[in-house]
Amino acid sequence: MTVIYADVLLFLNWVIDYLLLCGCARVLMLSASRKRLLLGAGVGALSSLLILLPPMGTWLSLLCKLLTASVTVPVAFRLRSWRQFCKAVVTLFILSALFAGVCNGLYLLIDPPAVLMQSGIVYVSVPPLLLLALTTASYGVLCVYDRFTRRRMLKGNAFKMDIVCRDTCVTLRAFFDSGHHLRDSFSGAPVIVARRESLGSLRSLTEPTTATAGACCLRYIPFSSVGGGGVLPLFRPTYVKLYTSQKTVTLDNVRVAVCDRLESDEYDALIGADIAVTGDAL
């Protein structure tokens, strides 16, 4: 008979839920503070106390996981629509089910004496201090790995870009995002999304009072994303010059949409696959 310590049970599942929420944020590209993720993981960890109840059937266990995800998601993420809420709940539910399936398979294959699996909930009988030390070490390794891979990703997908409008030119750091497919609904031209503060003297083009007719005329473009939707100011530059590791590409049939902030401060603009195909740049 396995003795279950509630503190070890809650702490272990708190860590597991935190990692699952981080995975959910990565999959859906949701921005969330670490504080909210930890709080959401704490709410999810409370469901691990169900292991103290008699074993539940498969369908009842899945229902409990779905309800837990429905409560955890709004605590961990700041969601703007029901659609976004449903996507996050389904994603977290799938990640939880996959994790439980992998753990259950390993449990049946290895049958470790210190591990208990019941109703998709994991309990490992280890001293709390050892568990804390292993968790801290694992978190440190993950932070180092994430920082290294992020820098390598940015280095391989970051480009220097010049946006020229009439006689004004600004140089930005552009990042290639394969999930970015925004196009101008009128012309069908691909759209670059740039941070407003990085545009320098071109920022005046985003103000309706200063917009004039010509190559850089201003209007608005609707957009939708996992994080929500709305409209962005849009202008047409004279041309955009993209510098890749192999060649320089000039794009004259693109649009530039202006946003207040991007996910990272390490780049100033986002270019998508449509621009890469248009310019044959990547």
Side-chain angles (χ1 to χ4, degrees):
M1 178 179 179
T2 303
V3 178
I4 298 177
Y5 296 93
D7 54 349
V8 176
L9 174 67
L10 291 173
F11 182 79
L12 176 63
N13 283 272
W14 181 49
V15 174
I16 292 173
D17 287 340
Y18 175 77
L19 296 177
L20 291 175
L21 287 172
C22 289
C24 181
R26 284 293 183 91
V27 171
L28 298 178
M29 292 186 294
L30 293 173
S31 59
S33 64
R34 186 169 300 174
K35 181 179 179 180
R36 293 196 64 158
L37 289 175
L38 290 172
L39 183 61
V43 173
L46 293 175
S47 65
S48 64
L49 295 175
L50 294 174
I51 199 174
L52 303 176
L53 300 178
M56 296 181 290
T58 302
W59 292 108
L60 183 57
S61 177
L62 291 176
L63 178 61
C64 289
K65 284 188 174 295
L66 186 60
L67 292 175
T68 301
S70 301
V71 176
T72 302
V73 161
V75 176
F77 305 111
R78 185 171 298 173
L79 306 173
R80 300 180 181 178
S81 64
W82 278 102
R83 181 180 179 184
Q84 190 180 15
F85 169 78
C86 293
K87 283 185 177 180
V89 169
V90 171
T91 301
L92 181 59
F93 175 76
I94 292 175
L95 291 176
S96 300
L98 289 174
F99 174 79
V102 171
C103 288
N104 191 52
L106 292 175
Y107 178 76
L108 294 176
L109 181 65
I110 303 175
D111 192 21
V115 177
L116 176 64
M117 278 285 302
Q118 183 174 302
S119 302
I121 301 171
V122 181
Y123 176 78
V124 181
S125 181
V126 295
L129 290 179
L130 176 60
L131 180 60
L132 180 60
L134 292 175
T135 301
T136 303
S138 300
Y139 180 76
V141 171
L142 288 175
C143 287
V144 173
Y145 174 79
D146 183 70
R147 182 178 295 272
F148 173 75
T149 54
R150 186 181 183 187
R151 287 182 175 178
R152 185 174 59 182
M153 180 184 66
L154 286 172
K155 183 177 179 180
N157 294 280
F159 307 92
K160 177 185 174 183
M161 179 178 67
D162 290 339
I163 298 179
V164 179
C165 193
R166 298 191 183 96
D167 297 327
T168 304
C169 175
V170 295
T171 301
L172 306 179
R173 299 163 298 173
F175 180 71
F176 172 68
D177 182 4
S178 60
H180 171 43
H181 296 282
L182 185 61
R183 281 182 174 270
D184 180 16
S185 55
F186 288 93
S187 64
V191 175
I192 297 169
V193 178
R195 186 188 294 111
R196 188 188 306 274
E197 64 179 4
S198 302
L199 290 175
S201 56
L202 290 181
R203 283 186 295 180
S204 60
L205 296 175
T206 65
E207 302 174 4
T209 55
T210 60
T212 58
C216 299
C217 60
L218 170 76
R219 54 188 176 81
Y220 291 88
I221 182 174
F223 76 96
S224 62
S225 66
V226 176
V231 293
L232 295 174
L234 181 81
F235 68 91
R236 178 179 179 177
T238 305
Y239 64 87
V240 171
K241 188 170 289 187
L242 186 65
Y243 301 90
T244 71
S245 57
Q246 299 177 347
K247 57 182 178 179
T248 300
V249 180
T250 300
L251 307 171
D252 55 7
N253 187 30
V254 295
R255 306 293 185 267
V256 178
V258 184
C259 65
D260 291 325
R261 66 181 183 88
L262 294 172
E263 184 178 356
S264 173
D265 293 331
E266 298 185 45
Y267 48 84
D268 307 311
L270 287 177
I271 61 175
D274 297 333
I275 290 179
V277 172
T278 300
D280 193 23
L282 302 178

